[in-house]
Amino acid sequence: MTVRVGVITFPGSLDDGDARRAIQIAGGEPVALWHGSHDLEGVDALVLPGGFSYGDYLRAGAIAALAPIMAEVKDAAKRGMPVLGICNGFQMLVEAHLLPGGLIRNAHQQFIRRDQRLRVENNDTAWTSDFASGQEIVIPLKNADGGYVAAESELDRLEGEGLVALRYLGVNPNGSLRDIAGITNERGNVLGLMPHPEHAVEPGFGPGTPQAMRSGVDGLPFFTSAVAAVVGAAA
């Protein structure tokens, strides 16, 4: 079957094209969706891409979380559809209460861009099943409002229930509590992360590796995982 993955463009989205490219490389069919629509066009999974939706006014992701299409995103997520929020998309997911906690200004008050080491803490999600538990990966990070915060009780729950999906290694780039880089919901179909896997899916355009400059493709398994999850669910 052909797995159709929708990528929603909001005013200020920057990485929607990259996300569509990543889906295509992963073997899916990317479908461009518009924030002002109420039609998901029959897609099997969704990506909320990175960028600066609505100029990050009010709070990053807060206005986008109220966009017309988000009503359909919420319903789809509750039905179990795989939904990935990348950077600004992660901010939208927490603002829409599809994931807990919040994302605030980086601890050093500066925009940061780096190739970031991560550890996959939970590979039992629709977006991480092609990783090994504990696998260390490197994908690009670029944000100004990437500090993940939540109440201590909520952090304890996330840790205890295995809902921390990804954790920063080596450097905590933005002051995220407990080095959290990404989290999942209880069902494992909704995942939000601040780093950008769509920028590490094609040799020649990803992070450098010991083998060659810009050869890193550690972001690709996020998208192949989702394609496999949809195929498996339909089998």
Side-chain angles (χ1 to χ4, degrees), residues 91-210:
Q91 294 159 347
M92 295 177 204
L93 291 177
V94 298
E95 291 287 346
H97 305 295
L98 287 171
L99 291 173
L103 290 149
I104 64 172
R105 182 68 57 171
N106 292 347
H108 43 69
Q109 302 292 303
Q110 294 178 333
F111 184 91
I112 189 167
R113 191 276 178 225
R114 56 178 286 114
D115 291 337
Q116 179 65 47
R117 290 176 57 221
L118 305 168
R119 182 170 60 239
V120 178
E121 302 282 17
N122 183 344
N123 68 337
D124 190 24
T125 82
W127 298 94
T128 58
S129 61
D130 279 354
F131 293 106
S133 180
Q135 183 174 343
E136 296 186 11
I137 62 175
V138 178
I139 61 176
L141 173 81
K142 49 176 188 173
N143 63 69
D145 297 87
Y148 182 77
V149 295
E152 281 297 312
S153 58
E154 184 67 21
L155 293 169
D156 290 341
R157 184 185 73 86
L158 292 173
E159 299 276 14
E161 297 181 14
L163 303 182
V164 176
L166 299 139
R167 206 180 304 268
Y168 296 117
L169 288 180
V171 172
N172 182 328
N174 46 36
S176 290
L177 299 180
R178 304 196 190 182
D179 299 329
I180 291 174
I183 60 174
T184 184
N185 66 344
E186 292 83 351
R187 193 168 180 174
N189 63 303
V190 179
L191 179 74
L193 75 162
M194 287 309 298
H196 286 260
E198 77 279 14
H199 295 325
V201 298
E202 192 171 12
F205 298 93
T209 73

Side-chain angles (χ1 to χ4, degrees), residues 19 47-51 84-90 192-198 223:
V47 175
L48 280 61
L84 176 66
I86 303 169
C87 195
N88 193 213
F90 185 11
L193 75 162
M194 287 309 298
H196 286 260
E198 77 279 14
F223 301 97

